[in-house]
Amino acid sequence: LHRRAAISPRSVRRAIDYIHANLHLPITVEQLAAAAAVPGRTLYAHFRQATGLAPLAYVRKARYERVRRELLAGTDEHLTVIAARWGFEHMGRFASGYRAL
C-alpha cells in the first residue's frame, strides 16, 4: 500500500535530449516543457526526482562540462571565447560557478 509508483522518465529523457541538442542556444523552461510534452511544474518535479537538479541547473552544469571538455582538449582559443560559445557571458559569474562545480 505504501509503494510509490515510479514516474516515467520519458519526459525527462525528452528534455535532456533537447538540452544537449540545443546547449549552445538560450534555453527556457517553457521550451523544455514543450519538448517534453508536459507542463512546466510537472517537468520540474520529474526532473528533480530523476536527476536531483532543477532543469536549468542541469543546463548550466552541462554547459560547464562542455567548457571543461574543450579546455582539457588543449584548444588554442581563449577561455572567454569558449565560455561565450556555451552561453556564459558574464565571466565573473562563470568563474565562480565553474570553481564551485
Side-chain angles (χ1 to χ4, degrees), residues 7-81:
I7 295 175
S8 171
R10 199 172 326 174
S11 61
V12 175
R13 173 66 14 217
R14 279 189 230 128
I16 288 173
D17 289 344
Y18 180 87
I19 289 168
H20 289 287
N22 297 287
L23 202 53
H24 61 289
L25 301 171
I27 297 174
T28 65
V29 174
E30 292 79 18
Q31 291 170 323
L32 291 176
V38 295
R41 292 180 76 161
T42 302
L43 176 65
Y44 185 87
H46 289 188
F47 217 93
R48 267 276 202 219
Q49 188 175 30
T51 68
L53 297 170
L56 294 182
Y58 182 93
V59 170
R60 198 169 30 258
K61 185 177 180 204
R63 287 180 173 159
Y64 282 125
E65 289 171 358
R66 289 286 177 98
V67 169
R68 180 165 173 74
R69 198 176 315 155
E70 285 195 36
L71 290 173
L72 291 174
T75 180
D76 290 336
E77 290 183 298
H78 195 272
L79 173 62
T80 55
V81 173

Side-chain angles (χ1 to χ4, degrees), residues 78-85 87-99:
H78 195 272
L79 173 62
T80 55
V81 173
I82 297 170
R85 178 179 314 132
F88 298 104
E89 296 178 4
H90 191 280
M91 288 302 112
R93 274 182 260 168
F94 166 77
S96 65
Y98 187 81
R99 201 175 6 244

